Structures are given as structure tokens and as C-alpha cells.
Amino acid sequence: MGHYFDYAATSPVCASIGCDVFRTFGNPSSSHAEGAAARRLLEESRRDIAALMCSDPEEVFFTSGATESNCTAVFGACAARARHSKVIVTDDSEHPSVAAPVAQLESRGYTVVRISTRGGRLDTDALRDALSQPVALVSIMAVNNETGAVYDIPAVRREIDRSGCGALLHCDAVQGFLKYGRNGFFTSQCDLMSVSAHKIGGLKGCGALFVRRGVRIPPMLLGGGQEKGFRSGTENTVGIYCFAEAARNFGSSALKGVYEKTLDAVIRAGLSPHIPESHCYHIISASMPGVRSETLINYLSSVGVYLSASSACSSKKKGNRVLEAFGLAPDEINSAVRISVSPLTGDEDIAALESALLSARERFGK
Ligand code: PMP
């Protein structure tokens, strides 16, 4: 498969997942034995995901991925709190699946306050000011998918509680779940939390939304009333099983060592990393001065080393609002690449990355 450094975009499917799961094909809503077997698989998976989130199974709702979880959380929380406030507080470097629904609500008359994340640090003074009024929703991600910055979610929780602004707290924890902090670190702070299966070795098209007990938000998908009426549609039992199996097998203890070795290699190869004060151990943003991102990633791809310019979701868009918000200069943004690792990243991958970066610098560098 070459040398893969794009785990923040997606990951290969967990090795312990075999074809056996396809034998459980029943509809979990059917009352015969095939349906019951599928229901069992679904509920065992929910139980295990909930345990890893340190939540109760009743607080976990399966979705088609974090994009759906994020949209459901943003629209749902604002609908639930519509009488209380039409103010949303978020930050300036959210994933598009939070930024876009927030922008749509803004166009419908909501007031949106976007807190600065310059240098990868959430401006908690500005947050405190923003919360000195009734607020419907605060949506702040756990770990930024482009810079690896970890935002201080416990501080956000404290500010919400201290202010009495009445907001629900949503956290996009896609890049943090199982990869940063002890299990349950983010869940314990939030009312709503989004996670995605394919970032940890599950299948694409599957995710979950944690909804704290007692928090009521309206569903986005109406129909057969699956997921206790919160998310209609026949459950993706295979995807959900694979999500749970990948989560059970995700070994984050190797991440820090892999990150440090990769960072050393990146620096030795002449790139300038953009390291936030508080960061995760699987995403490195770095620039090769004078070499455009596309030139570098295309060359690396031609020699079997795969990484991305920013996030896969924004690779077709012009400019980069996340790196601008971080405070990078235009030439640093134009030459920025994202290198992301996993416990699967081996020493031979890191050596291949370093030698490919060195040869790219010889070819294209000034
Ligand atoms: N949020 C973040 C931070 C992400 O990195 C991603 C994946 N690019 C998503 C949300 C969307 O997840 P999904 O692909 O499951 O819709």
C-alpha cells in the first residue's frame, strides 16, 4: 500500500474484521431469529462503544458518520434552545460539517460568535465575553483535524457553567476519540459529542452521536423510528459492528512514540512544523519553504508516500481558513502539508517519508 501518512483523512479497516459479520444480515427491527441476531450485534456494539466513551448505551445513537452527527447536533441543539436564545458560539477552525450548518443558521438570523484559535489556542477570554448573554449552542471541536491542536474543552465547560448562559455544549471529537486523553475525557464535558468510525479502523459511512441523558434534541431523519425515534433508517449493523470492533482494538499507547519519531524525521528533512501549544499525537502540520503543497504531495505520491495538503474535506477548496486562523503566513499556508500517523505507522514508513522529503527538497527546494 505504499507509505500511508493520511490517517486523519481515513484509515485502513481493522485487521480483526473478517467476512463472518456479513452472515448477520437480518433487520434488527424484525421479530424473527435473524432479526434478533442482528439486534444483539447492534446492542453489543452500542454497549462497547458506550463503555469506551464512558457513557451509557442509551446515550449513544448511531449515524451515517460524523457529518450527520455534527449537523444533527447543531440544528437539533439550536431548535431545542430556540426560545432561550438565537446565539451560537463556535470557533474559527471547525470542520465544515459544523461550520456549514452554523453558517446556514447565521443566514437565517442567528448571531454567531467565532472564537479565535490563533496558534492553536482557543481564546478563553473571548469565550467568556461571548457567554455573557443567553446562548443556544457552544460547538467547539476536541482536536483540530488540520493542525492537531487540542482545544481546552474542560475550560469551555467551566465557562458555560460559570456564565449561566444556558447553552448546550457540542464537541466534534472525531480526531480525539480514543486518540487523545483518557477514555471519556471529552464525553464527560459535553452534552453532545460526535465520533466517526473510519478514523479508527472502522468503515466509512458510520458514526455516532452521544446525547447526554436528559438532553432532548429533535431528530433530523424521520421515518421508521429506529434508534428510539432519534435517527430513523434501518441500522447499518455491519458498519456498527465494525466500528465497535475497531474501537475495541484501537491501541493508542504507541501513538506518542510514532509521533515523536515522525516529527524528528520531518524536521531533519528540512520542513518547518507548526506545532500548537497543546497538541494530539497523530497530526503534524508542516511547510517545506518555497515548495507548493500540491507539488510536494504529487511528487511524494509518485514515490509511494501518501499525505495531504490540508484535510481531505477541504482539498478542493481555495485558501485555507483553518491555517489562516492558526496565524500562518500566506507562503507557509501555500506550502503546508498534513502528515498524520497511527499505531500502524512503522519505522520503515518513517524512513521512507524522510528520504522522500529529502529528495523532494533537492528537486524543488530553493
Ligand atoms: N469532523 C472532523 C474533525 C473530521 O476530521 C471529519 C472527517 N474529515 C468529520 C468531522 C466528518 O466525518 P465523516 O467522514 O464521518 O462524515
Side-chain angles (χ1 to χ4, degrees), residues 237-255:
T237 36
V238 169
I240 291 166
Y241 165 80
C242 294
F243 185 11
E245 180 64 5
R248 285 189 285 264
N249 285 288
F250 194 84
S252 61
S253 56
L255 268 185

Side-chain angles (χ1 to χ4, degrees), residues 335-353:
S335 58
V337 291
R338 178 182 70 179
I339 299 153
S340 51
V341 297
S342 93
L344 300 174
T345 308
D347 288 348
E348 66 294 353
D349 297 310
I350 300 171
L353 171 70

